[in-house]
Amino acid sequence: MDAAQKLKEYINNNRGSLPPVTDPDEPLHIDSLAFIRLVTFLDTDLNVRLEEEELVAENFTTLRAIENLIDAKSKEKTSSAT
């Protein structure tokens, strides 16, 4: 399972009473505790370590925003490895 699918599954399993995300541009409506849990999930399960300046609301408003952040971090990791 790729990172995007794992992320979507995690979000859908942790939305409480909200319906599953069907549109990647749909607002996620996550609260501060859910935000902390999501950042922890990204670190522990997807091996995406975020810098303090990346922990801004704009990066976590939608599934697409989070996927873009993960993609950017993957590219960063790949370019620093070469």
Side-chain angles (χ1 to χ4, degrees):
M1 184 181 303
D2 70 342
Q5 184 61 34
K6 283 183 183 180
L7 173 64
K8 184 175 181 182
E9 185 176 296
Y10 172 83
I11 289 173
N12 284 335
N13 289 335
N14 292 283
R15 283 177 58 93
S17 62
L18 294 172
V21 175
T22 56
D23 178 359
D25 295 314
E26 169 187 339
L28 295 178
H29 304 291
I30 57 175
D31 62 19
S32 57
L33 182 57
F35 173 75
I36 291 168
R37 289 179 177 157
L38 176 57
V39 170
T40 301
F41 167 78
L42 292 172
D43 185 21
T44 59
D45 290 45
L46 300 183
N47 199 28
V48 176
R49 295 203 166 78
L50 300 173
E51 301 298 325
E52 188 174 335
E53 60 271 7
E54 294 168 321
L55 299 175
V56 294
E58 295 80 31
N59 287 336
F60 297 90
T61 55
T62 65
L63 187 59
R64 187 179 314 275
I66 300 169
E67 289 172 348
N68 289 341
L69 179 61
I70 292 171
D71 287 345
K73 295 299 284 186
S74 293
K75 289 175 185 169
E76 221 175 77
K77 195 183 291 186
T78 303
S79 68
S80 68
T82 57

